[in-house]
Amino acid sequence: MSAVFSGGLTQAGGMSSTETVDSSAVSSGTISDYVEAMGPSWIAGAIAAGPATIASLVTAGGAFGYSLLWVVVLSAGAGALAQYLAMRLGLLTERGIVAVVEDHLGETWAWLLVGDAVLAAGVAQLVIMKTVATVSATVTGIDARIWGVVWALILAAGLAGGGYRFLELAAKILVLLVVVAFVASLFVVPIDAGAAVAGLVPSVPSGSALVAAGILGGAVHITLITMHSYTMRARGWTREDYDLATVDVGASMLVAFGIYSLAIFLVTASVLTSGDLTTVGAAEALGPLVGDSARWLFLLGLWGAAVSTLGGNTIVPPFLLADKLGWGTTIEDNRYRGLLAAVALLSAPGAFIGGNVLGQLVLVLALGTVGTPFAIALVLYLLNSAAVPESNSLLANVGGLALIAVSGGLAANFVVEQLGGGVGPLSGFVLAFAIALGLAMAGLGGKFLREELLA
């Protein structure tokens, strides 16, 4: 693997200098060397390990106890598989996903993908900013609306000024600190091992469809899938870095994100008895129940997760839009730099949104789950087409189809649950969104079958 680690590690994305990791140092196996070599998937992990995922886990644990533990475990594996497929497409084509879709499927399909991802990321951005501002206000005592403006300015200056290098470093540090904070909380909270084992048996309690979709949506999400090719390009990775990129996915999504999800879920399932808490409220509730140390560990972990997710999510719309418009996807292109700053600044109004942030976060993830099967279907189609020099293995295709089935099933349950209360503005929008993407997936499947029959 040493040859793989030594190739293609020139960092781009707005950096003027080059940095190559010494292959012999990396192959020696020290944790710091591996963390230094890795990067792109940690940004995806930073988004996945965010307040929306925490909200889903808090709701699941508080409302349903350990019964949805199987979904938590499944989400880590599914998230790693989704990122692996996205990684394959990015490395084998060495291009952004939007450009590849446009070249091999046409402009309409490219715009549909852009619209799907930008909608999911844009809605999430506002609610994530609300969470960051709310937690910041709780910790400091300063009004959340002021924090919303402050964080938007910090985000704009950091991303537009430092580009990919700034984001990757922040993601690595924050994700590791967040994982440590939540794992530490396990040592001050009593866990019922027998009930936890029983929760590994698949079951979907009544009323849990939205929460289950939210948990899976935190790991298998259209924003994570579509951004991966761009972050690898920013890192300068090529096909020669395939093994390194695979380790990157495994370490960030399967290990770090998996441990993070398990720790949060086990803490909340063991202590909380209500799923109707805000994310901050969940942290506050831990204090009188299991001590102030657990409260502060949870609160600081939530803060770090919210900040890291806000930064990672900000780059998704600019990446996709810039690629579709033929612009550069590094801050060396002032148009892309402007998009970064604009998305960052447009996050500020999120701090002024009223209502319970917990329900909003779960809804954001579930809505993203509706758009995710289409993105996975596009990736699978391209990985079995002339877009790549080598087609997917049978195992990778089976895994991809399983991802579509699971995410599609949870998305369908979510849509049905939304319609249960009648067709209103929100449920009507979700239904229209789901129908449009469902028809697109059916068209894509038909196109693939026709091509296979004519081949």
Side-chain angles (χ1 to χ4, degrees):
M1 188 180 289
S2 61
V4 173
F5 276 92
S6 64
L9 288 175
T10 300
Q11 295 189 25
M15 289 175 283
S16 58
S17 60
T18 59
E19 180 181 341
T20 303
V21 177
D22 176 48
S23 61
S24 61
V26 173
S27 62
S28 67
T30 64
I31 294 177
S32 62
D33 290 330
Y34 274 91
V35 171
E36 182 182 358
M38 294 184 290
S41 193
W42 286 82
I43 298 177
I47 298 178
T53 297
I54 294 176
S56 296
L57 294 168
V58 166
T59 303
F64 304 103
Y66 294 97
S67 61
L68 291 177
L69 179 57
W70 68 275
V71 180
V72 178
V73 175
L74 175 66
S75 71
L81 176 57
Q83 290 309 115
Y84 172 75
L85 293 173
M87 175 216 81
R88 272 184 57 80
L89 181 63
L91 285 188
L92 293 178
T93 60
E94 297 184 5
R95 301 183 67 198
I97 186 172
V98 173
V100 176
V101 168
E102 184 164 5
D103 282 353
H104 294 274
L105 286 168
E107 189 171 16
T108 300
W109 289 95
W111 274 120
L112 187 57
L113 175 63
V114 171
D116 186 7
V118 169
L119 175 64
V123 173
Q125 187 78 1
L126 293 173
V127 182
I128 293 168
M129 174 59 86
K130 178 180 178 179
T131 307
V132 173
T134 301
V135 179
S136 299
T138 302
V139 173
T140 65
I142 300 173
D143 190 277
R145 292 166 294 185
I146 296 175
W147 271 116
V149 176
V150 170
W151 278 116
L153 292 172
I154 292 173
L155 197 61
L159 292 178
Y164 176 80
R165 184 177 188 178
F166 166 81
L167 182 60
E168 184 184 285
L169 178 62
K172 286 180 179 178
I173 293 173
L174 288 171
V175 169
L176 289 174
L177 290 178
V178 166
V179 170
V180 169
F182 284 122
V183 168
S185 66
L186 286 175
F187 292 92
V188 294
V189 172
I191 307 298
D192 186 337
V197 171
L200 293 173
V201 179
S203 65
V204 183
S206 176
S208 67
L210 172 61
V211 180
I215 293 174
L216 187 68
V220 184
H221 197 276
I222 184 170
T223 56
L224 310 183
I225 296 167
T226 53
M227 73 180 291
H228 208 73
S229 57
Y230 301 101
T231 52
M232 290 190 299
R233 290 182 68 203
R235 208 30 155 95
W237 285 1
T238 67
R239 298 173 196 174
E240 295 180 358
D241 299 293
Y242 194 96
D243 285 355
L244 172 57
T246 303
V247 173
D248 191 39
V249 169
S252 63
M253 293 301 298
L254 191 60
V255 178
F257 176 76
I259 293 173
Y260 156 94
S261 299
L262 279 173
I264 296 171
F265 180 81
L266 291 175
V267 166
T268 56
S270 300
V271 178
L272 301 181
T273 57
S274 171
D276 190 25
L277 289 169
T278 65
T279 45
V280 175
E284 298 291 352
L286 292 175
L289 292 174
V290 288
D292 207 43
S293 58
R295 168 182 172 266
W296 275 105
L297 283 170
F298 197 93
L299 194 60
L300 292 174
L302 172 60
W303 199 10
V307 172
S308 66
T309 301
L310 185 67
N313 193 74
T314 303
I315 68 173
V316 176
F319 268 149
L320 297 172
L321 285 170
D323 193 18
K324 181 64 190 73
L325 296 172
W327 300 352
T329 53
T330 73
I331 59 173
E332 294 172 356
D333 189 317
N334 287 330
R335 296 168 297 183
Y336 172 75
R337 186 197 295 262
L339 277 176
L340 274 178
V343 173
L345 294 175
L346 288 171
S347 305
F352 295 81
I353 297 174
N356 184 341
V357 71
L358 180 66
Q360 293 167 351
L361 285 167
V362 176
L363 183 62
V364 162
L365 276 188
L367 181 62
T369 301
V370 173
T372 298
F374 173 66
I376 300 172
L378 278 177
V379 170
L380 274 184
Y381 174 90
L382 293 169
L383 284 173
N384 288 279
S385 72
V388 295
E390 57 181 74
S391 296
N392 254 1
S393 66
L394 176 61
L395 184 60
N397 282 331
V398 170
L401 291 173
L403 278 179
I404 293 175
V406 172
S407 60
L410 288 174
N413 283 335
F414 164 61
V415 172
V416 170
E417 196 170 272
Q418 285 294 300
L419 294 176
V423 180
L426 178 60
S427 59
F429 170 77
V430 170
L431 178 61
F433 186 52
I435 290 174
L437 293 179
L439 290 174
M441 286 182 61
L444 188 64
K447 179 178 174 61
F448 178 76
L449 291 175
R450 287 194 302 273
E451 290 171 350
E452 286 296 300
L453 291 174
L454 295 174

